[in-house]
Amino acid sequence: MEEPLLAACWSFNPTDSVAENRDRIAEGVSAAAEAGAQLLLTPECALTGYPSVARADFARLDWNELAAAERELATRARDAGVALVLGTAGTATDGATNDALACGNVPAEVRYRKRCLTPLDKKPFVAGNEAVVAECTGWGLGLAICYDIRFPRVFAELARAGADAFLVIAHMAGPDPDPGTKETILPAHFASRAAEWATPTLLCNASADDRWLNSGCWDARGIRTADGGEGLLLATLTPRQTLDPWYTTVRNDSLASFFGE
């Protein structure tokens, strides 16, 4: 992993219609391919609609329709030469899971299940328990979802697993119990995760009017390099190895601090 990776976010506001969301995401795949992007992120639960916002729960979700839509989008992305990180849902023995599916133009599909659940998340979802790293053109892409950003160990484990970049899909929107706090604190969390691991970090957020921050990218220094509210956002992920050697030192020292390595 020595070359920059041109990535994209497709920010929109999903509904409770899998078919409508599928078509919107397909538009994003086409737009990303036309722009030359090799990687595309959607928001959290982009294919299903986010529970408590677009839908009450998953009681009426057609899981067969969802699986078919995932396959269709994976095929479309692969044919377009785009790696797709798709916000969707899955099933486990004890309930539904909030998933990021890496598919399309990737060596192997992988599915990450959101590990850190908010109180609202715990109503429709059960938590995952594994760090997951996808691959794209030689990059290791550590997958995370929304609330995960507040928990440093999630990203420590992704770094330990070989992530060259962190990819976060999210639905960060809605009433703030302390108005103005989340719009201030959340960008700082993203900058911190990027800086403490010297790892470029890409966020795709929903485009809801009451979102707390835009989609964006932070480089391995923790500096924000891209910002966008709705539609296609392009961002270049730059390897830390192309920056000052200091950033590789930071990465190694962080691993030693967390894991004694």
Short mmCIF file of all heavy atoms in Angstrom, two decimals, residues 33-97:
data_model
loop_
_atom_site.label_atom_id
_atom_site.label_comp_id
_atom_site.label_asym_id
_atom_site.label_seq_id
_atom_site.Cartn_x
_atom_site.Cartn_y
_atom_site.Cartn_z
N ALA A 33 -18.01 5.66 -10.14
CA ALA A 33 -17.23 5.10 -11.24
C ALA A 33 -16.90 6.16 -12.28
O ALA A 33 -15.76 6.24 -12.77
CB ALA A 33 -18.00 3.94 -11.88
N GLU A 34 -17.87 7.00 -12.60
CA GLU A 34 -17.64 8.06 -13.58
C GLU A 34 -16.58 9.04 -13.11
O GLU A 34 -15.82 9.61 -13.91
CB GLU A 34 -18.94 8.80 -13.88
CG GLU A 34 -19.95 7.98 -14.67
CD GLU A 34 -21.29 8.67 -14.81
OE1 GLU A 34 -21.38 9.86 -14.40
OE2 GLU A 34 -22.23 8.03 -15.30
N ALA A 35 -16.49 9.24 -11.78
CA ALA A 35 -15.50 10.16 -11.21
C ALA A 35 -14.14 9.51 -11.03
O ALA A 35 -13.19 10.19 -10.62
CB ALA A 35 -16.01 10.68 -9.86
N GLY A 36 -14.04 8.21 -11.30
CA GLY A 36 -12.77 7.52 -11.18
C GLY A 36 -12.48 7.00 -9.78
O GLY A 36 -11.35 6.55 -9.52
N ALA A 37 -13.47 7.01 -8.88
CA ALA A 37 -13.26 6.52 -7.52
C ALA A 37 -13.16 5.00 -7.51
O ALA A 37 -13.88 4.31 -8.24
CB ALA A 37 -14.38 6.99 -6.60
N GLN A 38 -12.30 4.48 -6.68
CA GLN A 38 -12.13 3.03 -6.54
C GLN A 38 -12.92 2.46 -5.37
O GLN A 38 -13.04 1.24 -5.24
CB GLN A 38 -10.65 2.72 -6.35
CG GLN A 38 -9.78 3.12 -7.53
CD GLN A 38 -8.31 3.14 -7.17
OE1 GLN A 38 -7.82 4.02 -6.48
NE2 GLN A 38 -7.59 2.13 -7.62
N LEU A 39 -13.42 3.34 -4.53
CA LEU A 39 -14.10 2.94 -3.29
C LEU A 39 -15.28 3.86 -3.05
O LEU A 39 -15.16 5.08 -3.24
CB LEU A 39 -13.11 3.03 -2.12
CG LEU A 39 -13.65 2.89 -0.70
CD1 LEU A 39 -14.15 1.47 -0.45
CD2 LEU A 39 -12.57 3.25 0.31
N LEU A 40 -16.41 3.29 -2.61
CA LEU A 40 -17.60 4.09 -2.32
C LEU A 40 -18.20 3.65 -1.00
O LEU A 40 -18.40 2.46 -0.76
CB LEU A 40 -18.65 3.92 -3.42
CG LEU A 40 -19.98 4.65 -3.19
CD1 LEU A 40 -19.78 6.16 -3.24
CD2 LEU A 40 -21.02 4.21 -4.21
N LEU A 41 -18.52 4.62 -0.15
CA LEU A 41 -19.22 4.37 1.11
C LEU A 41 -20.63 4.91 1.03
O LEU A 41 -20.88 5.97 0.43
CB LEU A 41 -18.51 5.06 2.28
CG LEU A 41 -17.34 4.37 2.96
CD1 LEU A 41 -16.21 4.12 1.98
CD2 LEU A 41 -16.84 5.20 4.15
N THR A 42 -21.57 4.21 1.68
CA THR A 42 -22.93 4.72 1.87
C THR A 42 -23.13 5.04 3.36
O THR A 42 -22.32 4.65 4.20
CB THR A 42 -23.99 3.69 1.46
OG1 THR A 42 -24.09 2.67 2.48
CG2 THR A 42 -23.66 3.05 0.12
N PRO A 43 -24.23 5.68 3.72
CA PRO A 43 -24.53 5.86 5.15
C PRO A 43 -24.88 4.55 5.84
O PRO A 43 -25.10 3.51 5.20
CB PRO A 43 -25.73 6.81 5.13
CG PRO A 43 -25.71 7.47 3.80
CD PRO A 43 -25.15 6.44 2.86
N GLU A 44 -24.95 4.60 7.14
CA GLU A 44 -25.39 3.48 7.98
C GLU A 44 -26.84 3.12 7.62
O GLU A 44 -27.68 4.00 7.42
CB GLU A 44 -25.30 3.92 9.43
CG GLU A 44 -25.76 2.93 10.47
CD GLU A 44 -25.64 3.49 11.89
OE1 GLU A 44 -25.40 4.71 12.04
OE2 GLU A 44 -25.79 2.70 12.84
N CYS A 45 -27.11 1.82 7.52
CA CYS A 45 -28.47 1.33 7.21
C CYS A 45 -29.02 1.96 5.93
O CYS A 45 -30.22 2.18 5.79
CB CYS A 45 -29.43 1.57 8.37
SG CYS A 45 -29.07 0.60 9.84
N ALA A 46 -28.13 2.22 4.97
CA ALA A 46 -28.56 2.89 3.75
C ALA A 46 -29.55 2.06 2.95
O ALA A 46 -30.43 2.61 2.28
CB ALA A 46 -27.34 3.21 2.88
N LEU A 47 -29.44 0.75 3.02
CA LEU A 47 -30.31 -0.11 2.22
C LEU A 47 -31.65 -0.38 2.90
O LEU A 47 -32.66 -0.58 2.22
CB LEU A 47 -29.59 -1.42 1.90
CG LEU A 47 -30.19 -2.34 0.85
CD1 LEU A 47 -30.51 -1.61 -0.45
CD2 LEU A 47 -29.27 -3.51 0.57
N THR A 48 -31.67 -0.37 4.21
CA THR A 48 -32.90 -0.68 4.94
C THR A 48 -33.64 0.56 5.42
O THR A 48 -34.86 0.51 5.65
CB THR A 48 -32.58 -1.51 6.19
OG1 THR A 48 -31.73 -0.75 7.06
CG2 THR A 48 -31.91 -2.82 5.83
N GLY A 49 -32.94 1.67 5.59
CA GLY A 49 -33.46 2.80 6.34
C GLY A 49 -33.16 2.60 7.81
O GLY A 49 -33.23 1.48 8.33
N TYR A 50 -32.78 3.68 8.48
CA TYR A 50 -32.34 3.58 9.87
C TYR A 50 -33.52 3.41 10.82
O TYR A 50 -34.46 4.21 10.79
CB TYR A 50 -31.53 4.81 10.24
CG TYR A 50 -30.83 4.71 11.56
CD1 TYR A 50 -29.69 3.94 11.71
CD2 TYR A 50 -31.32 5.37 12.69
CE1 TYR A 50 -29.04 3.82 12.92
CE2 TYR A 50 -30.67 5.27 13.90
CZ TYR A 50 -29.53 4.50 14.01
OH TYR A 50 -28.90 4.38 15.22
N PRO A 51 -33.52 2.38 11.66
CA PRO A 51 -34.62 2.19 12.62
C PRO A 51 -34.76 3.39 13.56
O PRO A 51 -33.76 3.96 14.00
CB PRO A 51 -34.20 0.93 13.39
CG PRO A 51 -33.24 0.24 12.50
CD PRO A 51 -32.51 1.31 11.75
N SER A 52 -35.99 3.72 13.86
CA SER A 52 -36.41 4.87 14.69
C SER A 52 -36.44 6.16 13.89
O SER A 52 -36.96 7.17 14.37
CB SER A 52 -35.54 5.06 15.94
OG SER A 52 -34.29 5.68 15.64
N VAL A 53 -35.93 6.13 12.65
CA VAL A 53 -35.98 7.32 11.80
C VAL A 53 -36.78 7.01 10.53
O VAL A 53 -37.88 7.54 10.34
CB VAL A 53 -34.56 7.81 11.44
CG1 VAL A 53 -34.64 9.02 10.51
CG2 VAL A 53 -33.78 8.15 12.70
N ALA A 54 -36.25 6.16 9.68
CA ALA A 54 -36.94 5.80 8.44
C ALA A 54 -38.01 4.74 8.66
O ALA A 54 -38.99 4.68 7.93
CB ALA A 54 -35.94 5.31 7.40
N ARG A 55 -37.82 3.89 9.65
CA ARG A 55 -38.76 2.82 9.96
C ARG A 55 -38.79 2.62 11.47
O ARG A 55 -37.81 2.93 12.16
CB ARG A 55 -38.36 1.53 9.26
CG ARG A 55 -36.98 1.01 9.65
CD ARG A 55 -36.69 -0.39 9.13
NE ARG A 55 -36.69 -0.48 7.69
CZ ARG A 55 -37.57 -1.19 6.99
NH1 ARG A 55 -38.51 -1.89 7.62
NH2 ARG A 55 -37.51 -1.25 5.68
N ALA A 56 -39.88 2.08 11.97
CA ALA A 56 -39.98 1.84 13.41
C ALA A 56 -39.04 0.73 13.85
O ALA A 56 -38.34 0.82 14.87
CB ALA A 56 -41.41 1.52 13.80
N ASP A 57 -39.04 -0.37 13.07
CA ASP A 57 -38.24 -1.55 13.42
C ASP A 57 -38.13 -2.41 12.16
O ASP A 57 -38.44 -1.96 11.05
CB ASP A 57 -38.86 -2.33 14.58
CG ASP A 57 -40.34 -2.64 14.35
OD1 ASP A 57 -40.72 -2.94 13.18
OD2 ASP A 57 -41.12 -2.61 15.32
N PHE A 58 -37.72 -3.65 12.32
CA PHE A 58 -37.56 -4.54 11.18
C PHE A 58 -38.68 -5.57 11.07
O PHE A 58 -38.56 -6.55 10.32
CB PHE A 58 -36.22 -5.27 11.27
CG PHE A 58 -35.04 -4.39 11.01
CD1 PHE A 58 -33.87 -4.53 11.76
CD2 PHE A 58 -35.07 -3.43 10.03
CE1 PHE A 58 -32.77 -3.72 11.52
CE2 PHE A 58 -33.99 -2.60 9.78
CZ PHE A 58 -32.83 -2.75 10.52
N ALA A 59 -39.79 -5.35 11.76
CA ALA A 59 -40.87 -6.34 11.78
C ALA A 59 -41.41 -6.60 10.38
O ALA A 59 -41.79 -7.73 10.04
CB ALA A 59 -41.99 -5.88 12.71
N ARG A 60 -41.46 -5.57 9.53
CA ARG A 60 -42.01 -5.73 8.19
C ARG A 60 -40.94 -5.79 7.11
O ARG A 60 -41.27 -5.76 5.92
CB ARG A 60 -42.98 -4.59 7.90
CG ARG A 60 -44.20 -4.57 8.83
CD ARG A 60 -45.18 -3.48 8.44
NE ARG A 60 -46.36 -3.48 9.30
CZ ARG A 60 -47.38 -2.64 9.18
NH1 ARG A 60 -47.36 -1.72 8.21
NH2 ARG A 60 -48.41 -2.70 10.00
N LEU A 61 -39.71 -5.89 7.50
CA LEU A 61 -38.64 -5.97 6.51
C LEU A 61 -38.65 -7.34 5.82
O LEU A 61 -38.71 -8.38 6.48
CB LEU A 61 -37.28 -5.76 7.19
CG LEU A 61 -36.06 -5.84 6.28
CD1 LEU A 61 -36.05 -4.72 5.25
CD2 LEU A 61 -34.77 -5.80 7.11
N ASP A 62 -38.59 -7.33 4.50
CA ASP A 62 -38.50 -8.56 3.72
C ASP A 62 -37.01 -8.90 3.58
O ASP A 62 -36.29 -8.30 2.77
CB ASP A 62 -39.15 -8.35 2.36
CG ASP A 62 -39.18 -9.61 1.51
OD1 ASP A 62 -38.31 -10.50 1.72
OD2 ASP A 62 -40.05 -9.72 0.63
N TRP A 63 -36.55 -9.87 4.36
CA TRP A 63 -35.13 -10.20 4.37
C TRP A 63 -34.67 -10.81 3.05
O TRP A 63 -33.51 -10.64 2.65
CB TRP A 63 -34.82 -11.14 5.53
CG TRP A 63 -34.95 -10.46 6.86
CD1 TRP A 63 -36.05 -10.47 7.68
CD2 TRP A 63 -33.97 -9.64 7.50
NE1 TRP A 63 -35.81 -9.72 8.81
CE2 TRP A 63 -34.54 -9.19 8.73
CE3 TRP A 63 -32.68 -9.25 7.19
CZ2 TRP A 63 -33.86 -8.37 9.62
CZ3 TRP A 63 -31.99 -8.43 8.07
CH2 TRP A 63 -32.57 -8.00 9.27
N ASN A 64 -35.56 -11.47 2.35
CA ASN A 64 -35.20 -12.00 1.03
C ASN A 64 -34.99 -10.87 0.03
O ASN A 64 -34.06 -10.92 -0.80
CB ASN A 64 -36.29 -12.96 0.52
CG ASN A 64 -36.34 -14.25 1.31
OD1 ASN A 64 -35.32 -14.75 1.78
ND2 ASN A 64 -37.54 -14.80 1.47
N GLU A 65 -35.86 -9.87 0.08
CA GLU A 65 -35.69 -8.69 -0.78
C GLU A 65 -34.37 -7.99 -0.46
O GLU A 65 -33.64 -7.56 -1.36
CB GLU A 65 -36.86 -7.72 -0.61
CG GLU A 65 -36.74 -6.48 -1.48
CD GLU A 65 -37.78 -5.41 -1.15
OE1 GLU A 65 -38.36 -5.45 -0.04
OE2 GLU A 65 -37.99 -4.53 -2.00
N LEU A 66 -34.05 -7.89 0.83
CA LEU A 66 -32.80 -7.24 1.24
C LEU A 66 -31.59 -7.99 0.69
O LEU A 66 -30.66 -7.39 0.14
CB LEU A 66 -32.73 -7.15 2.76
CG LEU A 66 -31.49 -6.45 3.32
CD1 LEU A 66 -31.47 -4.98 2.95
CD2 LEU A 66 -31.41 -6.61 4.84
N ALA A 67 -31.60 -9.31 0.83
CA ALA A 67 -30.48 -10.11 0.34
C ALA A 67 -30.32 -9.96 -1.18
O ALA A 67 -29.20 -9.86 -1.69
CB ALA A 67 -30.68 -11.57 0.71
N ALA A 68 -31.44 -9.94 -1.89
CA ALA A 68 -31.38 -9.78 -3.34
C ALA A 68 -30.82 -8.41 -3.72
O ALA A 68 -30.04 -8.28 -4.68
CB ALA A 68 -32.77 -9.97 -3.95
N ALA A 69 -31.21 -7.38 -2.97
CA ALA A 69 -30.70 -6.03 -3.24
C ALA A 69 -29.20 -5.95 -2.97
O ALA A 69 -28.46 -5.29 -3.72
CB ALA A 69 -31.46 -5.01 -2.40
N GLU A 70 -28.74 -6.59 -1.91
CA GLU A 70 -27.30 -6.63 -1.64
C GLU A 70 -26.55 -7.27 -2.80
O GLU A 70 -25.51 -6.75 -3.25
CB GLU A 70 -27.02 -7.42 -0.36
CG GLU A 70 -27.44 -6.72 0.92
CD GLU A 70 -27.13 -7.55 2.16
OE1 GLU A 70 -26.66 -8.71 2.02
OE2 GLU A 70 -27.37 -7.06 3.27
N ARG A 71 -27.06 -8.39 -3.29
CA ARG A 71 -26.38 -9.09 -4.40
C ARG A 71 -26.37 -8.23 -5.67
O ARG A 71 -25.35 -8.17 -6.38
CB ARG A 71 -27.07 -10.43 -4.68
CG ARG A 71 -26.89 -11.47 -3.58
CD ARG A 71 -27.32 -12.84 -4.07
NE ARG A 71 -28.73 -12.90 -4.40
CZ ARG A 71 -29.70 -13.20 -3.55
NH1 ARG A 71 -29.41 -13.47 -2.28
NH2 ARG A 71 -30.96 -13.26 -3.95
N GLU A 72 -27.48 -7.56 -5.92
CA GLU A 72 -27.56 -6.72 -7.12
C GLU A 72 -26.56 -5.58 -7.05
O GLU A 72 -25.85 -5.27 -8.03
CB GLU A 72 -28.98 -6.17 -7.28
CG GLU A 72 -29.14 -5.29 -8.52
CD GLU A 72 -30.56 -4.80 -8.70
OE1 GLU A 72 -31.49 -5.44 -8.17
OE2 GLU A 72 -30.73 -3.76 -9.37
N LEU A 73 -26.46 -4.93 -5.89
CA LEU A 73 -25.53 -3.81 -5.74
C LEU A 73 -24.08 -4.29 -5.77
O LEU A 73 -23.21 -3.62 -6.33
CB LEU A 73 -25.82 -3.06 -4.44
CG LEU A 73 -27.11 -2.25 -4.44
CD1 LEU A 73 -27.44 -1.75 -3.03
CD2 LEU A 73 -27.01 -1.07 -5.41
N ALA A 74 -23.82 -5.46 -5.19
CA ALA A 74 -22.46 -6.00 -5.23
C ALA A 74 -22.05 -6.26 -6.68
O ALA A 74 -20.91 -5.94 -7.08
CB ALA A 74 -22.39 -7.29 -4.42
N THR A 75 -22.95 -6.82 -7.48
CA THR A 75 -22.65 -7.09 -8.89
C THR A 75 -22.44 -5.80 -9.66
O THR A 75 -21.49 -5.67 -10.46
CB THR A 75 -23.79 -7.91 -9.52
OG1 THR A 75 -23.91 -9.16 -8.85
CG2 THR A 75 -23.53 -8.15 -11.00
N ARG A 76 -23.30 -4.83 -9.42
CA ARG A 76 -23.18 -3.55 -10.12
C ARG A 76 -21.85 -2.87 -9.78
O ARG A 76 -21.17 -2.34 -10.67
CB ARG A 76 -24.35 -2.64 -9.74
CG ARG A 76 -24.36 -1.29 -10.46
CD ARG A 76 -25.52 -0.45 -9.99
NE ARG A 76 -26.79 -0.99 -10.44
CZ ARG A 76 -27.41 -0.59 -11.55
NH1 ARG A 76 -26.86 0.31 -12.34
NH2 ARG A 76 -28.58 -1.10 -11.87
N ALA A 77 -21.48 -2.91 -8.49
CA ALA A 77 -20.22 -2.28 -8.09
C ALA A 77 -19.02 -3.02 -8.68
O ALA A 77 -18.07 -2.39 -9.16
CB ALA A 77 -20.13 -2.24 -6.56
N ARG A 78 -19.07 -4.34 -8.68
CA ARG A 78 -17.97 -5.11 -9.25
C ARG A 78 -17.82 -4.81 -10.74
O ARG A 78 -16.70 -4.59 -11.23
CB ARG A 78 -18.21 -6.61 -9.05
CG ARG A 78 -17.06 -7.48 -9.54
CD ARG A 78 -17.30 -8.95 -9.32
NE ARG A 78 -18.43 -9.45 -10.10
CZ ARG A 78 -19.59 -9.83 -9.58
NH1 ARG A 78 -19.79 -9.79 -8.27
NH2 ARG A 78 -20.57 -10.26 -10.36
N ASP A 79 -18.93 -4.75 -11.45
CA ASP A 79 -18.87 -4.47 -12.89
C ASP A 79 -18.35 -3.06 -13.16
O ASP A 79 -17.73 -2.81 -14.20
CB ASP A 79 -20.25 -4.64 -13.51
CG ASP A 79 -20.71 -6.10 -13.54
OD1 ASP A 79 -19.87 -6.99 -13.31
OD2 ASP A 79 -21.92 -6.33 -13.76
N ALA A 80 -18.59 -2.16 -12.22
CA ALA A 80 -18.13 -0.77 -12.37
C ALA A 80 -16.70 -0.58 -11.88
O ALA A 80 -16.14 0.52 -12.02
CB ALA A 80 -19.07 0.17 -11.60
N GLY A 81 -16.10 -1.62 -11.30
CA GLY A 81 -14.74 -1.51 -10.79
C GLY A 81 -14.65 -0.73 -9.50
O GLY A 81 -13.60 -0.14 -9.20
N VAL A 82 -15.72 -0.76 -8.70
CA VAL A 82 -15.78 0.01 -7.46
C VAL A 82 -15.94 -0.94 -6.27
O VAL A 82 -16.80 -1.84 -6.29
CB VAL A 82 -16.97 1.00 -7.49
CG1 VAL A 82 -17.14 1.69 -6.13
CG2 VAL A 82 -16.78 2.02 -8.60
N ALA A 83 -15.14 -0.76 -5.24
CA ALA A 83 -15.36 -1.45 -3.97
C ALA A 83 -16.44 -0.68 -3.21
O ALA A 83 -16.34 0.54 -3.05
CB ALA A 83 -14.07 -1.50 -3.16
N LEU A 84 -17.46 -1.39 -2.75
CA LEU A 84 -18.61 -0.75 -2.11
C LEU A 84 -18.68 -1.16 -0.64
O LEU A 84 -18.66 -2.36 -0.33
CB LEU A 84 -19.90 -1.18 -2.83
CG LEU A 84 -21.23 -0.73 -2.22
CD1 LEU A 84 -21.35 0.79 -2.24
CD2 LEU A 84 -22.40 -1.38 -2.96
N VAL A 85 -18.76 -0.16 0.24
CA VAL A 85 -19.02 -0.42 1.66
C VAL A 85 -20.46 0.01 1.90
O VAL A 85 -20.76 1.21 1.94
CB VAL A 85 -18.04 0.30 2.58
CG1 VAL A 85 -18.39 0.07 4.04
CG2 VAL A 85 -16.61 -0.19 2.30
N LEU A 86 -21.33 -0.98 2.05
CA LEU A 86 -22.78 -0.78 2.02
C LEU A 86 -23.36 -0.88 3.43
O LEU A 86 -23.17 -1.87 4.12
CB LEU A 86 -23.39 -1.86 1.13
CG LEU A 86 -24.91 -1.96 1.06
CD1 LEU A 86 -25.50 -0.70 0.45
CD2 LEU A 86 -25.31 -3.19 0.26
N GLY A 87 -24.09 0.14 3.83
CA GLY A 87 -24.83 0.09 5.08
C GLY A 87 -26.07 -0.75 4.92
O GLY A 87 -26.95 -0.45 4.09
N THR A 88 -26.18 -1.82 5.69
CA THR A 88 -27.29 -2.75 5.55
C THR A 88 -27.57 -3.38 6.91
O THR A 88 -27.17 -2.85 7.95
CB THR A 88 -26.97 -3.80 4.46
OG1 THR A 88 -28.09 -4.66 4.27
CG2 THR A 88 -25.74 -4.61 4.78
N ALA A 89 -28.28 -4.49 6.93
CA ALA A 89 -28.58 -5.20 8.16
C ALA A 89 -28.44 -6.69 7.91
O ALA A 89 -28.44 -7.15 6.77
CB ALA A 89 -30.00 -4.88 8.65
N GLY A 90 -28.30 -7.45 8.99
CA GLY A 90 -28.18 -8.89 8.88
C GLY A 90 -28.89 -9.57 10.03
O GLY A 90 -29.55 -8.91 10.85
N THR A 91 -28.75 -10.86 10.11
CA THR A 91 -29.38 -11.61 11.18
C THR A 91 -28.35 -12.45 11.91
O THR A 91 -27.40 -12.96 11.31
CB THR A 91 -30.50 -12.52 10.63
OG1 THR A 91 -29.96 -13.39 9.63
CG2 THR A 91 -31.63 -11.70 10.04
N ALA A 92 -28.54 -12.58 13.21
CA ALA A 92 -27.75 -13.46 14.06
C ALA A 92 -28.72 -14.34 14.82
O ALA A 92 -29.94 -14.18 14.72
CB ALA A 92 -26.87 -12.65 15.01
N THR A 93 -28.20 -15.27 15.60
CA THR A 93 -29.08 -16.19 16.32
C THR A 93 -29.98 -15.47 17.32
O THR A 93 -31.09 -15.94 17.60
CB THR A 93 -28.25 -17.24 17.07
OG1 THR A 93 -27.31 -16.57 17.93
CG2 THR A 93 -27.49 -18.11 16.08
N ASP A 94 -29.52 -14.31 17.81
CA ASP A 94 -30.29 -13.61 18.84
C ASP A 94 -30.87 -12.29 18.39
O ASP A 94 -31.33 -11.49 19.21
CB ASP A 94 -29.42 -13.40 20.09
CG ASP A 94 -28.05 -12.82 19.76
OD1 ASP A 94 -27.71 -12.72 18.57
OD2 ASP A 94 -27.32 -12.47 20.70
N GLY A 95 -30.88 -12.01 17.08
CA GLY A 95 -31.52 -10.79 16.61
C GLY A 95 -30.89 -10.24 15.35
O GLY A 95 -30.05 -10.89 14.71
N ALA A 96 -31.29 -9.02 14.99
CA ALA A 96 -30.76 -8.35 13.81
C ALA A 96 -29.45 -7.66 14.14
O ALA A 96 -29.19 -7.29 15.29
CB ALA A 96 -31.77 -7.33 13.29
N THR A 97 -28.62 -7.47 13.12
CA THR A 97 -27.35 -6.79 13.28
C THR A 97 -27.27 -5.60 12.33
O THR A 97 -27.86 -5.59 11.26
CB THR A 97 -26.17 -7.74 13.01
OG1 THR A 97 -26.32 -8.32 11.71
CG2 THR A 97 -26.10 -8.85 14.05
#
